[in-house]
């Protein structure tokens, strides 16, 4: 049985290994159009590789996917993060969990994951072909004919598409001709471009627990927010970009956000706090840092924005200015005029329609023995190892089904 895996990323490798482990007689080849296998694994997590996330409950886990939650929940009952960790540790790669739930190899090097996967494909006899792009996919007489970038065509019994994002895929037309629908593609997991004097000279400063939403009444996302040279980034921003990926694409990335630097604190909380300062610490300078969670430079920048002088004491704070300060702390509005792609976390939402794929096998409901794994499907996760877990899970299921 000749099997082709199109795409040499995490999903492609895991599909090939699951297939070869279950059926040692299968002839398995991975085709990668670039000259580098596992490129995204290499650069993810700043070169550390965020393998998965410490969430071992399939239902809770699936809630981290803006698209594909229902389908992936069932799939995670077959293969979830604990299975991924056990798989790598059984093959010599120890995995650790960080405070935020992200899981990395103990080595803090993505090369540990890459070496493991390459070692396993060699052990299982999987053939690797890099620099060979698949340009066309034809289904004829229960066989698949792949047309390659070098002009050669070959026949296969089973094929798995694991190309990653369909954005630059040459197979879009072939899949559509086979009857599959490609859902609209849009970037996910990106930072916001903002030009605002309130952020000037603060690049590199982060707030650990902020909340942000599209104004006026978007869904709130919480987590760390990082000020960058171009605007705002960090987990809370990336999560917002993922959940609202299609809406923001339709807005051409020009929209307004509302940011609460203090996370869950509200107007009533701050009015009570500031009243206490006024009554009990009236002689204290306002510029003295109040909130442990807020960097001093950011606090001073906000005070300057609402025109509170460095010499002003709490007893001297006018009610009108106090209200402006509170609003700037818990509902600051910023105009976003574009996006900045995070190269390490770049993800695309959209892809092969999920309704046309049987997630029990990752097999096409239209063309028998055609399978899908990874980001080419219309699912995507937020930042934190969830997209890699989607790749491991769908690859595992696809490979096992192809082996039968």
């Amino acid at each position: 049985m000749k099997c082709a895996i199109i795409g040499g990323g995490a999903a492609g490798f895991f599909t090939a290994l699951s297939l070869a482990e279950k059926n040692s007689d299968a002839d398995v080849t991975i085709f990668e159009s670039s000259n580098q296998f596992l490129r995204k694994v290499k650069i993810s997590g700043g070169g550390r590789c965020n393998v998965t996330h410490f969430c071992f409950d399939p239902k809770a886990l699936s809630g981290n996917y803006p698209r594909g939650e229902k389908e992936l929940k069932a799939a995670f009952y077959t293969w979830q993060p604990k299975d991924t960790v056990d798989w790598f540790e059984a093959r010599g790669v120890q995995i650790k969990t960080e405070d935020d739930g992200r899981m990395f190899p103990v080595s803090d090097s993505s090369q540990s994951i890459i070496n493991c996967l390459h070692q396993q494909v060699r052990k299982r006899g999987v053939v690797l072909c890099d620099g060979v792009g698949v340009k066309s996919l034809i289904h004829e007489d229960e066989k698949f004919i792949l047309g390659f970038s070098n002009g050669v065509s070959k026949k296969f019994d089973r094929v798995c598409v694991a190309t990653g994002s369909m954005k630059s895929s040459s197979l879009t037309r072939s899949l559509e001709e086979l009857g599959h629908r490609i859902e609209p593609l849009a970037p996910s997991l990106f930072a916001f471009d903002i030009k605002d004097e309130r952020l000037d000279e603060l690049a590199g400063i982060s707030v650990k627990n902020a909340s942000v939403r599209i104004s006026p009444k978007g869904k709130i996302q919480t987590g760390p927010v990082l000020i960058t040279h171009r605007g705002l980034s960090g987990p809370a921003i990336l999560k917002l970009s993922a959940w609202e990926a299609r809406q923001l694409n339709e807005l051409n990335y020009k929209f307004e956000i509302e940011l609460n630097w203090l996370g869950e604190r509200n107007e009533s909380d701050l009015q009570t706090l500031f009243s206490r300062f006024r009554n009990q610490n009236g002689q204290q300078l306002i510029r003295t840092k109040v909130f442990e969670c807020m960097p001093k430079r950011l606090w001073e920048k906000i005070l300057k924005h609402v025109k509170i002088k460095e010499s002003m004491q709490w007893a001297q704070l006018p009610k009108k200015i106090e209200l402006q300060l509170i609003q700037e702390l818990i509902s600051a509005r910023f105009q976003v005029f574009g996006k900045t792609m995070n190269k390490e976390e770049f993800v695309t939402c959209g892809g092969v329609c999920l309704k046309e794929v049987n997630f029990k096998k990752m097999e096409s409901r239209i063309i028998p023995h055609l399978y899908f794994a990874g980001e080419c499907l219309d699912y995507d996760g937020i930042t934190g190892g969830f997209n890699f877990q989607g790749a491991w899970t769908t690859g595992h299921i696809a490979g096992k089904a192809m082996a039968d």
Side-chain angles (χ1 to χ4, degrees), residues 198-218:
R198 289 171 290 176
L199 304 179
D200 289 349
E201 301 176 349
L202 295 180
I205 284 179
S206 63
V207 174
K208 289 185 177 180
N209 187 32
S211 63
V212 61
R213 66 180 177 181
I214 298 174
S215 63
K217 295 182 179 180

Side-chain angles (χ1 to χ4, degrees), residues 193-243:
D193 289 352
I194 299 171
K195 291 180 180 177
D196 194 297
E197 59 89 21
R198 289 171 290 176
L199 304 179
D200 289 349
E201 301 176 349
L202 295 180
I205 284 179
S206 63
V207 174
K208 289 185 177 180
N209 187 32
S211 63
V212 61
R213 66 180 177 181
I214 298 174
S215 63
K217 295 182 179 180
K219 181 180 178 182
I220 293 174
Q221 301 298 333
T222 61
V225 168
L226 171 69
I227 301 173
T228 71
H229 289 289
R230 297 188 61 170
L232 294 173
S233 187
I237 299 296
L238 296 177
K239 281 195 287 185
L240 182 62
S241 76
W243 284 103

Side-chain angles (χ1 to χ4, degrees), residues 233-261:
S233 187
I237 299 296
L238 296 177
K239 281 195 287 185
L240 182 62
S241 76
W243 284 103
E244 309 292 350
R246 289 206 168 103
Q247 179 187 349
L248 299 184
N249 185 52
E250 291 171 1
L251 293 172
N252 197 28
Y253 307 102
K254 293 176 173 59
F255 56 96
E256 187 179 63
I257 60 169
E258 185 177 296
L259 178 61
N260 184 338
W261 292 109

Side-chain angles (χ1 to χ4, degrees), residues 81 83 97 111 142 146 171 197 199 223 231 242 246 262 299 301 316 353 367-368 391:
D83 298 305
T97 306
Q111 198 60 45
E142 299 185 356
L146 300 188
L171 291 179
E197 59 89 21
L199 304 179
R246 289 206 168 103
L262 303 175
W299 172 245
K301 194 79 166 181
Q316 301 170 326
C353 177
I367 307 293

Side-chain angles (χ1 to χ4, degrees), residues 90-360:
R91 289 157 182 79
V93 181
Q94 296 300 304
I95 306 295
K96 64 177 180 178
T97 306
E98 301 201 337
D99 291 342
D100 59 3
R102 294 181 300 162
M103 303 188 79
F104 294 87
V106 169
S107 65
D108 275 331
S109 172
S110 59
Q111 198 60 45
S112 299
I113 301 298
I114 292 171
N115 291 345
C116 174
L117 292 171
H118 273 285
Q119 181 184 39
Q120 292 303 309
V121 295
R122 286 195 299 270
K123 179 180 178 180
R124 299 293 175 180
V126 174
V127 178
L128 299 179
C129 288
D130 60 340
V132 183
V134 179
K135 295 298 183 182
S136 62
L137 171 59
I138 298 171
H139 187 238
E140 189 176 276
D141 297 329
E142 299 185 356
K143 297 281 187 179
F144 294 95
I145 303 171
L146 300 188
F148 297 97
S149 54
N150 57 9
V152 174
S153 294
K154 293 182 180 179
K155 286 187 178 182
F156 295 87
D157 300 295
R158 302 188 178 187
V159 169
C160 179
V161 178
T163 55
S165 169
M166 295 297 293
K167 183 178 179 181
S168 57
S169 176
S170 57
L171 291 179
T172 300
R173 182 176 177 181
S174 291
L175 292 174
E176 289 176 334
E177 288 176 348
L178 290 173
H180 277 284
R181 184 166 80 254
I182 307 299
E183 299 292 354
L185 304 172
S188 180
L189 295 181
F190 51 84
F192 296 166
D193 289 352
I194 299 171
K195 291 180 180 177
D196 194 297
E197 59 89 21
R198 289 171 290 176
L199 304 179
D200 289 349
E201 301 176 349
L202 295 180
I205 284 179
S206 63
V207 174
K208 289 185 177 180
N209 187 32
S211 63
V212 61
R213 66 180 177 181
I214 298 174
S215 63
K217 295 182 179 180
K219 181 180 178 182
I220 293 174
Q221 301 298 333
T222 61
V225 168
L226 171 69
I227 301 173
T228 71
H229 289 289
R230 297 188 61 170
L232 294 173
S233 187
I237 299 296
L238 296 177
K239 281 195 287 185
L240 182 62
S241 76
W243 284 103
E244 309 292 350
R246 289 206 168 103
Q247 179 187 349
L248 299 184
N249 185 52
E250 291 171 1
L251 293 172
N252 197 28
Y253 307 102
K254 293 176 173 59
F255 56 96
E256 187 179 63
I257 60 169
E258 185 177 296
L259 178 61
N260 184 338
W261 292 109
L262 303 175
E264 297 180 355
R265 295 252 197 164
N266 57 39
E267 184 173 340
S268 178
D269 292 338
L270 296 193
Q271 285 178 338
T272 301
L273 179 64
F274 291 169
S275 177
R276 189 168 77 244
F277 285 149
R278 183 181 283 105
N279 296 327
Q280 299 178 9
N281 306 88
Q283 304 307 307
Q284 181 177 313
L285 294 176
I286 298 173
R287 68 189 298 264
T288 302
K289 196 171 87 161
V290 172
F291 304 100
E292 283 300 317
C293 61
M294 177 172 286
K296 192 170 189 295
R297 285 170 57 201
L298 175 58
W299 172 245
E300 292 175 346
K301 194 79 166 181
I302 291 173
L303 297 183
K304 182 179 180 181
H305 179 71
V306 297
K307 296 181 170 51
I308 293 177
K309 295 181 180 179
E310 291 187 4
S311 59
M312 184 178 285
Q313 300 170 341
W314 281 105
Q316 301 170 326
L317 180 63
K319 274 291 183 181
K320 182 180 178 181
I321 301 298
E322 178 185 309
L323 182 60
Q324 291 177 12
L325 174 58
I326 290 174
Q327 294 306 310
E328 197 60 35
L329 288 167
I330 66 171
S331 57
R333 296 201 170 190
F334 293 93
Q335 188 64 41
V336 179
F337 67 91
K339 67 183 186 304
T340 299
M341 302 310 300
N342 186 329
K343 293 179 181 179
E344 296 171 7
E345 302 288 356
F346 177 74
V347 170
T348 301
C349 79
V352 177
C353 177
L354 302 185
K355 292 180 180 178
E356 299 167 357
V357 179
N358 176 2
F359 267 67
K360 290 182 179 179

